[in-house]
């Protein structure tokens, strides 16, 4: 998923969802589908002072569930924060 965010991987897969006319056969990015399956496993904290229901569905993974070594390249740090620093727990499929 991080390699995809960095632009090194662009693999797509075709969803196999028999009986679902919207998603069966739909082509999606592999990183998105991987994230959809593991996003609930990240340790996270609710955002303070949530304004609405959409805001409640976004949680902070960093710094509780994401550690990035301070010696990592800034580009990798930024990509990791973009991909894993915040998590949306609402419906995506």
């Amino acid at each position: 998923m991080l390699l995809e965010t960095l632009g090194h991987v662009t693999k797509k897969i075709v969803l196999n969802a028999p009986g679902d006319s919207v998603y069966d056969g739909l082509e999606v990015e592999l990183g998105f589908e991987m994230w959809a399956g593991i996003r609930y496993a990240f340790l996270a904290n609710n955002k303070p002072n949530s304004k609405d229901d959409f805001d409640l569905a976004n949680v902070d993974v960093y710094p509780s569930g994401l550690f990035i070594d301070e010696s990592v390249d800034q580009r990798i740090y930024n990509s990791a924060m973009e991909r894993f620093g915040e998590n949306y727990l609402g419906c995506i499929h």
Side-chain angles (χ1 to χ4, degrees):
M1 290 185 305
L2 183 57
L3 290 174
E4 182 180 89
T5 303
L6 286 163
H8 297 296
V9 175
T10 57
K11 186 170 184 169
K12 294 191 179 227
I13 60 168
V14 176
L15 296 179
N16 181 17
D20 189 326
S21 62
V22 175
Y23 296 108
D24 191 38
L26 184 68
E27 186 177 71
V28 298
E29 294 173 346
L30 177 61
F32 176 82
E33 192 60 20
M34 290 172 62
W35 170 79
I38 67 168
R39 65 193 172 120
Y40 297 107
F42 289 104
L43 180 62
N45 291 313
N46 291 336
K47 292 186 173 288
N49 307 319
S50 296
K51 300 173 198 81
D52 54 34
D53 289 343
F54 181 77
D55 205 25
L56 283 172
N58 287 290
V59 294
D60 289 326
V61 175
Y62 181 83
S64 301
L66 176 65
F67 174 79
I68 303 173
D69 189 276
E70 61 187 36
S71 67
V72 75
D73 178 79
Q74 189 66 42
R75 182 170 174 254
I76 294 172
Y77 173 87
N78 292 342
S79 294
M81 286 298 290
E82 176 186 334
R83 182 45 134 159
F84 303 108
E86 181 180 76
N87 201 354
Y88 178 65
L89 300 178
C91 181
I92 58 169
H93 282 115

